[in-house]
C-alpha cells in the first residue's frame, strides 16, 4: 500500500469546489456514466490530468472525476473505473477510492454491469448487492498496512450497509423500480464464464457475476466508508441455456437499465446525506 500523493490531493482541491464537500460519492461502471449529465453545476477533471492516476483503456468508460449537485446535495463521481483485466494492479484500481476517502466522503455507491446467475432475476433489473464473493484472486490490501487508513485485517461481516440498502429498496419501490437483492461474485475476466463455471458459482451462492467492484469495496471498507452496491443485470448467465454474450450487448443493456439507475441515484443521494 502506498499513501496518496500530495500532488494528487492538491490538484483535486484546486480543480473542484471541495468547500462543498459531498458526503456521498458514486462509482459509475460500464455503460452507466450518463447519470453525471443530470448533475447541476458539474465540474470535471479527466483522469489523465490527475497525477499518478492510471488511464482507462475501456472505450465505454470515460475516465473523469466529477463534482456536481443532485438537487441540493453535492456529490463526487468517478465516471469510469479500472479493471484487473486491463492489466492494472489491485492497488491502481483502488486509487480513486482511496482518494475519495481521503477527501472526506462518508458513503460510497458502487455501480456495475453484471450477468444474472439467479434464474429468477431478469435482464434489465437492478440488484442491490447484499454481499460479495471475491473470486479475482487479488486483494488491494496486500503489503504493509497503512494503519491510519484502516486495520490490517478489516472485518467484512457487514460490508454492505444495512440502512443504505433499506433506503435504496424503499426509494426503488417509491419510484416503481423493481430491485432485487443478492450476492455479487467478482471474477478476473476478461473471458466470460463457461457453463460449468456459472453452475459452480451459482452453487457457491452467487446471484450475479461481474469483473469489478469487489476490490474497490474492500478498499472502501478498509477506510471505514459506508457502502452501497447496485448491479445492473445486463444478461442472464444460466448454465443450461447459455446464450452468447458480447460486450456490445452488455453496454447497450447497461445504457437501457442505466435510465432507471439514474433515477434511483438522483432520488437516493439527498436521502442518504443525513445518515
Ligand atoms: N459475466 C461476467 N461479467 C459480466 C457479465 C457476465 O455474464 N455481464 C456483465 N459483466
Amino acid at each position: 500500500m502506498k499513501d496518496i500523493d500530495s500532488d494528487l490531493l492538491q490538484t483535486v482541491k484546486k480543480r473542484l469546489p471541495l468547500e462543498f464537500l459531498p458526503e456521498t460519492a458514486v462509482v459509475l461502471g460500464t455503460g452507466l456514466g450518463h447519470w453525471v449529465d443530470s448533475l447541476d453545476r458539474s465540474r470535471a477533471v479527466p483522469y489523465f490530468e490527475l497525477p499518478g492516476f492510471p488511464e482507462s483503456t475501456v472505450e465505454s468508460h470515460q475516465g473523469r472525476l466529477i463534482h456536481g449537485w443532485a438537487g441540493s446535495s453535492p456529490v463526487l463521481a468517478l465516471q469510469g473505473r479500472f479493471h484487473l483485466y486491463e492489466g492494472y494492479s489491485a492497488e491502481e484500481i483502488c486509487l480513486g477510492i482511496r482518494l475519495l476517502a481521503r477527501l472526506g466522503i462518508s458513503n460510497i455507491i458502487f455501480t456495475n454491469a453484471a450477468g444474472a446467475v439467479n434464474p429468477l432475476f431478469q435482464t434489465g433489473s437492478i440488484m442491490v448487492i447484499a454481499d460479495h464473493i471475491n473470486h479475482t484472486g487479488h486483494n488491494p490490501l496486500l503489503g504493509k498496512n497503512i494503519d491510519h487508513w484502516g486495520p490490517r485485517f478489516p472485518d467484512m461481516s457487514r460490508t454492505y450497509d444495512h440502512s443504505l440498502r433499506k433506503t435504496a429498496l424503499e426509494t426503488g419501490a417509491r419510484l416503481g423500480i423493481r430491485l432485487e437483492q443478492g450476492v455479487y461474485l467478482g471474477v478476473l475476466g476478461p473471458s466470460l464464464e463457461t457453463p460449468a463455471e456459472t453452475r459452480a458459482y451459482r452453487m457457491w451462492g452467487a446471484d450475479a457475476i461481474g469483473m469489478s467492484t469487489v476490490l474497490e469495496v474492500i478498499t472502501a471498507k478498509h477506510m471505514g466508508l459506508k457502502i452501497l452496491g447496485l448491479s445492473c443485470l445486463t444478461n442472464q448467465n444460466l448454465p443450461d441455456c447459455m446464450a452468447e454474450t458480447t460486450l456490445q450487448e452488455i453496454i447497450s443493456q447497461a445504457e437501457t437499465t442505466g435510465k432507471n439507475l439514474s433515477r434511483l441515484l438522483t432520488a437516493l443521494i439527498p436521502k442518504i446525506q443525513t445518515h
Side-chain angles (χ1 to χ4, degrees), residues 13-14 33 65 71 108 118 141 160 171 191 235 253 255:
K13 286 182 180 162
K14 240 189 278 159
L65 171 65
I108 187 156
N118 181 332
L141 307 184
Y160 294 87
T171 307
S191 50
N235 55 292
Q253 184 58 51
E255 283 175 349

Side-chain angles (χ1 to χ4, degrees), residues 14-273:
K14 240 189 278 159
R15 299 282 301 272
L16 297 178
L18 291 174
E19 61 279 18
F20 303 106
L21 185 69
E23 274 182 51
T24 304
V26 183
V27 181
L28 296 159
T30 308
L32 303 172
H34 295 303
W35 173 69
V36 296
D37 300 337
S38 71
L39 296 177
D40 294 326
R41 286 171 281 159
S42 65
R43 303 254 295 267
V45 190
Y47 290 163
F48 64 81
E49 292 180 24
L50 292 173
F53 240 67
E55 232 180 284
S56 178
T57 67
V58 183
E59 272 170 48
S60 52
H61 285 240
Q62 300 213 4
R64 300 190 300 170
L65 171 65
I66 292 167
H67 181 286
W69 296 78
S72 57
S73 307
V75 66
L76 279 164
L78 289 173
Q79 188 186 30
R81 57 151 61 91
F82 305 100
H83 304 85
L84 290 168
Y85 67 73
E86 294 174 84
Y88 297 113
S89 67
E91 193 160 350
E92 284 175 310
I93 285 169
C94 296
L95 178 62
I97 312 306
R98 294 264 180 237
L99 173 66
L100 292 169
R102 277 294 302 273
L103 292 174
I105 62 150
S106 312
N107 308 313
I108 187 156
I109 304 177
F110 292 98
T111 69
N112 59 45
V117 291
N118 181 332
L120 301 176
F121 290 0
Q122 302 290 323
T123 295
S125 310
I126 296 171
M127 183 183 90
V128 175
I129 303 179
D131 203 350
H132 80 217
I133 298 170
N134 174 11
H135 186 50
T136 64
H138 291 252
N139 196 299
L141 307 184
L142 290 186
K144 190 169 158 32
N145 189 52
I146 297 183
D147 293 333
H148 64 266
W149 279 0
R152 169 77 289 190
F153 300 105
D155 179 69
M156 296 293 286
S157 64
R158 276 187 289 269
T159 300
Y160 294 87
D161 186 78
H162 193 267
S163 83
L164 292 183
R165 277 159 56 194
K166 188 161 170 277
T167 310
L169 291 169
E170 284 166 3
T171 307
R174 197 168 51 76
L175 296 174
I177 301 171
R178 184 190 163 90
L179 297 180
E180 309 290 355
Q181 271 206 94
V183 173
Y184 175 93
L185 182 137
V187 292
L188 184 61
S191 50
L192 289 146
E193 296 69 40
T194 63
E197 285 166 343
T198 296
R199 191 174 293 111
Y201 297 155
R202 180 70 188 138
M203 286 194 292
W204 286 0
D207 294 293
I209 308 178
M211 300 176 193
S212 67
T213 305
V214 289
L215 304 183
E216 295 155 58
V217 164
I218 291 170
T219 300
K221 181 71 182 164
H222 181 238
M223 291 186 92
L225 301 182
K226 280 194 187 171
I227 297 164
L228 179 69
L230 300 170
S231 291
C232 287
L233 304 179
T234 54
N235 55 292
Q236 281 196 310
N237 192 333
L238 304 176
D240 297 316
C241 52
M242 215 159 199
E244 247 182 65
T245 307
T246 63
L247 178 65
Q248 246 26 59
E249 280 164 14
I250 290 175
I251 293 172
S252 113
Q253 184 58 51
E255 283 175 349
T256 308
T257 312
K259 297 195 178 92
N260 274 343
L261 182 81
S262 291
R263 290 171 58 220
L264 184 63
L265 288 174
T266 300
L268 194 56
I269 284 165
K271 284 198 177 179
I272 61 181
Q273 293 304 104

